[in-house]
Amino acid sequence: MESHTLFRTNIVIATVMGALLAAGFVQAQVNVEQIVKQKVQPILPKGGGGGVAVAVRMDGKTSFFNYGMADNAQNRQVTPDSIFNLGSVGKVFATTLLAQAVKQGELSLDDPVSKYVTDLQRGGDIRRITLGQLASHTSGLPRVPQQYETWHKGRYTWPDFVRFLNSWKAGPNHEPGQQYLYSNAAMVLLRVALERRFNTRFAVLMHQRLTGPLGMTSTALPLPRDLLGRAVQGYGPQGRAIGRPGMEGGTFQWPGSGQIYSSSRDMATFLAANLGELPDHGPIENAMVFAHQPVFTVSPHLKLGLAWQNVPAGNFTIIDKNGGLNNTSTYIGFAPQRKLGIVILVNRGKQHATGIGRQIIHALAQDQSEPSNEGESNPDTD
């Protein structure tokens, strides 16, 4: 009799514990949604156009949260498959390809860029700049060529860019390898160096070596016609439509020099790979880890990997990258020690995606320390 009673009691206890655990799991899921919803409120449009796509990676699972409109005029809502202009978040695709090539012994971070872009062998100080310096914003090159050639009007063609690079002179605050100087020009030059090394267009190289193997079918440069229908309309900070969906803007005007487009679903895959959580993609994930590693210390609170920023966050580190144009604001960040990360894509310019992304990471990690604002002031103007 006693054994039957004990058996029934154990079943009741097990059932109650199972229910409590299930409730706890649901509560945890609800909390992710609550945290994201609360933190993104400041960048949800109060008026005008725009929306936000968020992907959270936590405990090996991905959750998507979508708010607002992909295109007000067409009454299209944001979904995980809406395609956004990544702005400078796209820089980590080039540096991941560089890291992969280094890991495979195909080139070295110490190689001078002029070894591959032979147009620069007749230049001056440009011949001292290495691939690693281009990738870590320590080349000394200005953000855009117009900061050096103030007389230049309009966008830069490839011959314009070569002329600028060959005439560029290093200065006290523009010395290769000696300082952090955020440079779109350097990152575009890195793409060209990779093209020359592999005799392959950057967009094709990216597809062959990175997005194709990872199954990222909505990531491209430029957007092909079959993906244009999912491209969001970009809006200014006040919600006014700017440009057309899928438009490439910026300083440079030749194939492969524009912005990369992607969806939150694809970027969640990229995020999972950077966290080392995709089976059967070891070589790509090893290259990603290599790209994360600090190669230059800006301050005790900011170190630079290959385009990635390393910022302390309580008792863990956040590795992240942000981007922004006048009609897009983007962020990808993750805490490898906590196995969590986030992607935020906003189709409005000048939104604080970096600060909000870091706040969400802290909240999900249940870390009470104040999120860093280091590296937050570089969202762009690509």
Side-chain angles (χ1 to χ4, degrees):
M1 186 71 178
E2 285 180 7
S3 62
H4 286 303
T5 306
L6 186 60
F7 180 69
R8 281 200 301 271
T9 303
N10 285 344
I11 287 179
V12 170
I13 290 170
T15 305
V16 170
M17 284 184 69
L20 287 171
L21 284 169
F25 178 73
V26 171
Q27 184 61 36
Q29 294 298 91
V30 168
N31 283 348
V32 175
E33 187 172 359
Q34 287 174 345
I35 287 166
V36 171
K37 191 171 185 179
Q38 178 204 351
K39 299 295 185 186
V40 301
Q41 285 300 320
I43 55 175
L44 295 183
K46 307 297 182 285
V52 184
V54 179
V56 171
R57 182 80 179 173
M58 191 171 180
D59 299 327
K61 296 184 176 63
T62 299
S63 304
F64 297 99
F65 307 98
N66 302 286
Y67 311 91
M69 305 302 288
D71 191 325
N72 281 42
Q74 294 184 9
N75 200 31
R76 281 195 291 128
Q77 293 188 316
V78 171
T79 75
D81 297 302
S82 299
I83 296 176
F84 291 74
N85 185 329
L86 293 181
S88 275
V89 165
K91 288 179 169 63
V92 295
F93 285 86
T95 59
T96 301
L97 290 172
L98 173 65
Q100 190 180 45
V102 171
K103 293 289 282 183
Q104 292 173 189
E106 296 164 318
L107 44 69
S108 164
L109 293 183
D110 295 328
D111 286 344
V113 64
S114 58
K115 176 178 178 179
Y116 304 107
V117 186
T118 53
D119 320 49
L120 306 180
Q121 289 177 0
R122 62 181 183 275
D125 287 339
I126 189 66
R127 290 181 300 164
R128 296 162 46 205
I129 293 175
T130 67
L131 299 180
Q133 290 164 355
L134 294 177
S136 58
H137 295 295
T138 58
S139 67
L141 291 172
R143 179 183 283 262
V144 291
Q146 290 95 325
Q147 289 181 335
Y148 187 84
E149 294 185 340
T150 52
W151 48 267
H152 184 93
K153 302 296 181 222
R155 297 173 76 183
Y156 272 69
T157 62
W158 174 246
D160 290 333
F161 194 45
V162 170
R163 181 205 64 237
F164 152 69
L165 293 169
N166 280 335
S167 65
W168 176 78
K169 289 183 171 56
N173 299 316
H174 291 261
E175 193 62 34
Q178 297 303 306
Q179 72 287 294
Y180 169 44
L181 199 62
Y182 193 88
S183 177
N184 294 328
M187 287 291 179
V188 167
L189 180 53
L190 176 61
R191 287 186 186 181
V192 177
L194 290 168
E195 287 187 332
R196 297 290 181 88
R197 166 61 183 85
F198 296 105
N199 194 29
T200 306
R201 286 284 188 194
F202 180 76
V204 176
L205 199 62
M206 184 176 82
H207 175 72
Q208 287 176 346
R209 291 184 158 228
L210 195 55
T211 58
L214 292 177
M216 297 171 63
T217 56
S218 299
T219 304
L221 156 84
L223 265 190
R225 188 166 295 167
D226 63 320
L227 294 181
L228 269 178
R230 289 197 274 126
V232 300
Q233 170 64 54
Y235 298 90
Q238 307 309 316
R240 182 177 60 85
I242 295 179
R244 64 185 188 281
M247 180 187 77
E248 289 188 277
T251 302
F252 307 101
Q253 194 169 20
W254 67 85
S257 64
Q259 294 93 37
I260 297 168
Y261 278 77
S262 189
S263 66
S264 64
R265 192 182 303 280
D266 266 19
M267 291 305 291
T269 299
F270 188 71
L271 179 63
N274 273 279
L275 282 166
E277 295 179 349
L278 292 188
D280 307 321
H281 291 291
I284 289 177
E285 292 180 338
N286 290 340
M288 288 173 163
V289 171
F290 180 72
H292 302 160
Q293 303 310 307
V295 294
F296 189 84
T297 299
V298 181
S299 75
H301 309 293
L302 176 63
K303 295 177 181 178
L304 302 175
L306 305 182
W308 293 102
Q309 303 180 134
N310 285 245
V311 294
N315 59 359
F316 61 98
T317 298
I318 292 176
I319 297 170
D320 64 11
K321 183 71 190 85
N322 53 3
L325 295 159
N326 60 357
N327 62 358
T328 190
S329 305
T330 56
Y331 177 78
I332 179 172
F334 48 94
Q337 300 98 322
R338 299 301 182 90
K339 286 293 181 185
L340 66 88
I342 189 166
V343 171
I344 301 177
L345 306 176
V346 190
N347 57 336
R348 286 173 79 133
K350 297 189 171 19
Q351 304 303 302
H352 297 292
T354 309
I356 286 165
R358 290 176 182 173
Q359 286 173 28
I360 292 172
I361 291 173
H362 275 253
L364 293 176
Q366 297 181 309
D367 185 280
Q368 304 301 316
S369 63
E370 192 67 26
S372 170
N373 60 5
E374 291 282 343
E376 200 177 331
S377 57
N378 279 325
D380 294 335
T381 50
D382 262 293

